[in-house]
Amino acid sequence: MITQGHEASGCIAELGPGVRGWSVGDRVIPAAGRPCLECRDCARGDFAHCLQVRIKAFAYDGAWAE
């Protein structure tokens, strides 16, 4: 069973060592999917045009999961 929640948002609570470009309290929206890393577009590094993108809350647990 996959937990729903494909539209997520939040605020950064803490940062790991060496993280730059982000601050605690920044509002964020995660990507709604993950590239497959196997198709021809992913193979050339064009992840935005993945032919088999895996959508959060459909292919894997979404934002309602712990």
Side-chain angles (χ1 to χ4, degrees):
M1 185 155 139
I2 294 177
T3 305
Q4 295 300 295
H6 70 282
E7 295 177 335
S9 65
C11 292
I12 295 176
E14 61 183 283
L15 299 170
V19 173
R20 294 190 175 136
W22 298 97
S23 298
V24 171
D26 281 353
R27 294 178 179 180
V28 293
I29 301 171
R34 297 178 185 159
C36 72
L37 305 177
E38 298 171 0
C39 71
R40 68 171 189 254
D41 290 336
C42 285
R44 66 175 184 243
D46 187 6
F47 305 116
H49 293 102
C50 173
L51 300 172
Q52 301 175 69
V53 67
R54 290 161 172 79
I55 304 298
K56 184 186 307 180
F58 295 91
Y60 59 95
D61 282 338
W64 296 349
E66 289 189 30

